[in-house]
Amino acid sequence: MKIENFNKEYKKGNVFLFFQGPDCGLCNGMKELALKELKDFDGKFISVNLKDFPKLRGEFQVFSFPTLLYLRDGVEVERVAGFFDLDKLKRSFKS
């Protein structure tokens, strides 16, 4: 994905931004779990490898891997990081 496309995509509707590192085993496992758990929700899931887009780490204040953000029309609603609780994120999505 090009950065121009990314900047358009995350600002529309419900979006889950999943930030990961290139060799992060926990990231791969949590990404798979998040995709499974969030598949029924009305929103886009965008996976971002910070090796490819290092500037986004500062823009979104990502300090650890993995980090999953829930955005509504480009505004952050919820953030979880590390080995995270998807139920917390799902409750935010429903409100």
Side-chain angles (χ1 to χ4, degrees), residues 19-56:
F19 293 97
Q20 66 185 70
D23 298 320
C24 174
L26 177 60
C27 298
N28 294 330
M30 292 305 293
K31 179 179 175 181
E32 189 175 311
L33 180 62
L35 283 168
K36 179 182 172 191
E37 291 292 319
L38 301 172
K39 70 179 180 195
D40 295 330
F41 288 99
D42 180 29
K44 293 178 217 157
F45 190 95
I46 300 173
S47 180
V48 179
N49 185 328
L50 290 172
K51 180 181 178 188
D52 299 330
F53 300 102
K55 290 183 180 181
L56 295 180

Side-chain angles (χ1 to χ4, degrees), residues 1 4 7-8 11 13 36 42 68 75 91 94-95:
M1 174 183 301
E4 298 83 20
N7 286 331
K8 291 177 187 174
K11 294 180 180 178
K36 179 182 172 191
D42 180 29
L68 180 64
V75 177
R91 286 190 298 273
K94 291 179 181 180
S95 60

